[in-house]
Amino acid sequence: MAAINSIQPLWDSLFTEQTGQDTDRLQSGMPIFEDVFRDMLDTVKQTDAEKNEAEYLLATGQLDNPSVRSIASAKALLSVQLLAELRNRALDAYSEISRMSI
């Protein structure tokens, strides 16, 4: 049977005192929630721009394959749904943490 080890921190400290940057990003290479959320926002903006461009090209008759617009619309919809789900999960986790007694 394996021995139970004590809980170890994932990083030395959350913020460095001198620079104010996250040490976990520098040491482990793992993104923090802010980075993930910003990337998702950028993805939503990018897919929405692609959808708008495809709709414009289709409306002006410059798009040879109309399925490109359908694919772009589906991508935009999925990215918005994923962002909303990420937000909902984060809010659920925050509310669970705030209910914890210390």
Side-chain angles (χ1 to χ4, degrees):
M1 180 176 271
I4 298 175
N5 296 328
S6 63
I7 297 174
Q8 300 296 323
L10 296 176
W11 50 86
D12 293 334
S13 65
L14 184 59
F15 296 102
T16 59
E17 289 78 24
Q18 291 131 356
T19 60
Q21 293 178 343
D22 297 323
T23 57
D24 61 339
R25 263 191 268 176
L26 299 174
Q27 292 176 355
S28 66
M30 293 177 51
I32 60 172
F33 180 74
E34 178 186 2
D35 293 335
V36 172
F37 202 72
R38 280 190 200 277
D39 288 343
M40 284 303 305
L41 282 173
D42 292 340
T43 302
V44 167
K45 290 176 184 177
Q46 179 185 3
T47 56
D48 187 53
E50 290 173 4
K51 177 188 69 91
N52 291 340
E53 179 70 20
E55 287 177 348
Y56 172 77
L57 292 175
L58 183 67
T60 57
Q62 300 174 20
L63 191 63
D64 294 334
N65 190 357
S67 65
V68 171
R69 192 206 60 84
S70 299
I71 293 170
S73 293
K75 279 178 157 179
L77 178 64
L78 286 174
S79 66
V80 169
Q81 288 174 344
L82 183 61
L83 177 65
E85 189 63 31
L86 181 67
R87 181 193 66 91
N88 292 341
R89 297 286 174 121
L91 288 175
D92 289 343
Y94 177 78
S95 65
E96 285 291 323
I97 290 171
S98 66
R99 282 188 243 143
M100 292 174 71
S101 62
I102 298 176

